[in-house]
Amino acid sequence: FHNLSKSKVKWAIVILLIVIFSKFFYLACLSTYYTFFLMDKFHLGIKQAQFHMFIYLIAYALGTILGGPLGDKIGRKHVIWLSVFGATPFALMLPYVNLFWTDVLMIIIGIIMSSAFPAILVYAQELVPKKLGMISGLFYGFAFGMGALGSALLGKLADYTSIQYVYQVCSYLPLIGVI
């Protein structure tokens, strides 16, 4: 990375931030509105829907834990590419399947999407090795900010349309990472 020009490093950081945007905007949709989506689409009670949310959150945590060692083993770029292209077909199917397949897809999406954050963060830190704190703060802050912004905007969209429509629209968000 030391041979890269400042311009290439800046563009690499911008691309990584775009990937973070697409991931955390989509993950905001999943995390914030998943219980409501299940209640609306499958007519579940709150306790049942929260159980399914628990399954997703365990998968998300598992993906985050696996992402670091996987990035060390196969390379950070490969993990990032896998998270972008690997999750997209499952995200596109999610709004249209039954409850069983919703759980299966949420586990797959949770593991794949969350596995990339450690790889993205370390990759960005390698791009700017003398500014580790700044890069960490930028990426964590941007990720949480995009999640918060995503939750608010998607809530407004759900108010005007429906929660199922939000999930249909959001299923295309992982495609932004293709950039």
Side-chain angles (χ1 to χ4, degrees), residues 32-41 49 163:
T32 306
Y33 300 107
Y34 187 50
T35 302
F36 302 111
F37 173 73
L38 293 171
M39 292 168 61
D40 183 59
K41 183 172 182 180
I163 196 72

Side-chain angles (χ1 to χ4, degrees), residues 24-36:
F24 279 84
F25 218 84
Y26 181 64
L27 291 171
C29 174
L30 294 182
S31 299
T32 306
Y33 300 107
Y34 187 50
T35 302
F36 302 111

Side-chain angles (χ1 to χ4, degrees), residues 18-30 83-84 87-88 91-92 113 146 150-151 154 157 166-179:
I18 290 169
V19 171
I20 290 287
F21 163 78
S22 72
K23 287 187 167 312
F24 279 84
F25 218 84
Y26 181 64
L27 291 171
C29 174
L30 294 182
S83 76
V84 170
T88 298
L92 290 169
M113 296 273 300
M146 287 301 98
S151 291
L154 295 172
L157 181 60
V166 168
Y167 267 72
Q168 290 168 351
V169 169
C170 286
S171 67
Y172 291 95
L173 282 173
L175 289 173
I176 293 173
V178 173
I179 291 172

Side-chain angles (χ1 to χ4, degrees), residues 34-35 38 42 44-58 99-100 102-104 106-107:
Y34 187 50
T35 302
L38 293 171
F42 301 111
L44 299 180
I46 293 172
K47 285 184 182 181
Q48 291 172 310
Q50 287 178 342
F51 173 75
H52 294 276
M53 175 65 131
F54 175 75
I55 292 170
Y56 161 71
L57 291 175
I58 291 293
L99 183 58
F100 172 79
T102 296
D103 279 340
V104 170
M106 286 296 285
I107 290 168

Side-chain angles (χ1 to χ4, degrees), residues 130-167:
K130 294 183 180 179
K131 306 259 186 192
L132 297 179
M134 183 203 69
I135 291 296
S136 297
L138 172 66
F139 277 79
Y140 272 105
F142 191 72
F144 287 114
M146 287 301 98
L149 182 62
S151 291
L153 293 176
L154 295 172
K156 272 292 201 201
L157 181 60
D159 288 343
Y160 288 111
T161 59
S162 71
I163 196 72
Q164 289 189 44
Y165 179 76
V166 168
Y167 267 72

